[in-house]
Amino acid sequence: MYWLELVEENIIYITIGLACMLIILFIINIILISKQRKLTKRYKKFMQGSNGESLEEIIREKFTDIDILKLDSKKLKQEIEKINENLTITFQKIGVVKYDAFKEMGGKLSFVIALLDKNNDGIILNSVHSSREGCYTYLKEIIKGESFLELSKEEKSALNQAINYKTIME
């Protein structure tokens, strides 16, 4: 009986509370209905012109395309690695010095070219021009930036230029 008396005494508050809850539920229901409509529109737009089977086929094609792209990427990566390996043994550093081999007799027609790879291995090509005797060409091997033969000052200068040459890969 105590409960019944308590309910009878507070019936107005209970009614107001239930009315407020009913209004809140009604507002939530309206919000959910509007979100449902938006979702339905997006779903219809997504499925427009497609049935489940065609959509499944489109998804399969996309996965096949992804697999092909992965294979192509792998092949390109291997080719780039080969190119990088080849670049270490190609001449990529250059030094050039022009000079007068016989002091004021033939002009600066003699020259030294140093060609080095990434590891400073390569050659020095020295072309000495004489107005009387013609042109003589000498080749010296360079290993790790050094020659086992004695170098002239022009050859040393060309070698230093080549060693300090900044390549694209650095």
Side-chain angles (χ1 to χ4, degrees), residues 148-166:
F148 294 106
L149 302 172
E150 188 174 338
L151 299 177
S152 69
K153 69 176 185 177
E154 292 85 5
E155 291 170 333
K156 288 178 185 176
S157 177
L159 180 60
N160 286 334
Q161 282 180 19
I163 289 172
N164 296 320
Y165 189 89
K166 297 294 181 204

Side-chain angles (χ1 to χ4, degrees), residues 61-78:
E61 288 175 9
K62 296 300 177 191
F63 278 118
T64 303
D65 290 346
I66 290 171
D67 290 340
I68 291 169
L69 287 172
K70 283 182 181 179
L71 288 174
D72 288 347
S73 175
K74 191 174 184 179
K75 287 178 186 176
L76 287 173
K77 184 178 178 183
Q78 290 171 346

Side-chain angles (χ1 to χ4, degrees), residues 11-160:
I11 193 77
I12 294 175
Y13 298 116
I14 294 173
T15 307
I16 292 173
L18 288 175
C20 289
M21 288 182 67
L22 185 63
I23 292 172
I24 291 172
L25 288 175
F26 183 71
I27 292 171
I28 291 173
N29 195 21
I30 290 173
I31 292 171
L32 289 175
I33 288 172
S34 70
K35 287 188 178 189
Q36 169 72 32
R37 284 185 183 155
K38 287 180 185 177
L39 188 59
T40 302
K41 285 180 186 177
R42 291 172 78 189
Y43 176 76
K44 284 182 180 179
K45 186 177 180 180
F46 177 71
M47 295 300 287
Q48 190 174 13
S50 300
N51 58 22
E53 291 175 11
S54 65
L55 188 60
E56 183 178 340
E57 184 60 33
I58 290 170
I59 292 171
R60 278 193 190 134
E61 288 175 9
K62 296 300 177 191
F63 278 118
T64 303
D65 290 346
I66 290 171
D67 290 340
I68 291 169
L69 287 172
K70 283 182 181 179
L71 288 174
D72 288 347
S73 175
K74 191 174 184 179
K75 287 178 186 176
L76 287 173
K77 184 178 178 183
Q78 290 171 346
E79 288 179 18
I80 289 171
E81 287 174 358
K82 287 179 187 177
I83 289 170
N84 284 335
E85 286 176 24
N86 288 337
L87 279 176
T88 61
I89 59 171
T90 58
F91 293 139
Q92 39 183 302
K93 298 179 178 184
I94 302 166
V96 178
V97 174
K98 288 184 71 175
Y99 65 99
D100 185 359
F102 299 104
K103 307 297 179 223
E104 300 178 13
M105 290 188 64
K108 287 191 173 187
L109 298 177
S110 300
F111 63 90
V112 177
I113 297 177
L115 302 170
L116 302 176
D117 64 8
K118 184 178 181 181
N119 300 317
N120 291 329
D121 296 333
I123 58 170
I124 288 183
L125 184 67
N126 190 349
S127 178
V128 180
H129 180 267
S130 169
S131 58
R132 292 186 188 163
E133 298 177 21
C135 185
Y136 297 97
T137 305
Y138 302 97
L139 184 76
K140 295 181 181 176
E141 184 179 22
I142 303 298
I143 298 173
K144 304 285 184 217
E146 296 181 10
S147 171
F148 294 106
L149 302 172
E150 188 174 338
L151 299 177
S152 69
K153 69 176 185 177
E154 292 85 5
E155 291 170 333
K156 288 178 185 176
S157 177
L159 180 60
N160 286 334

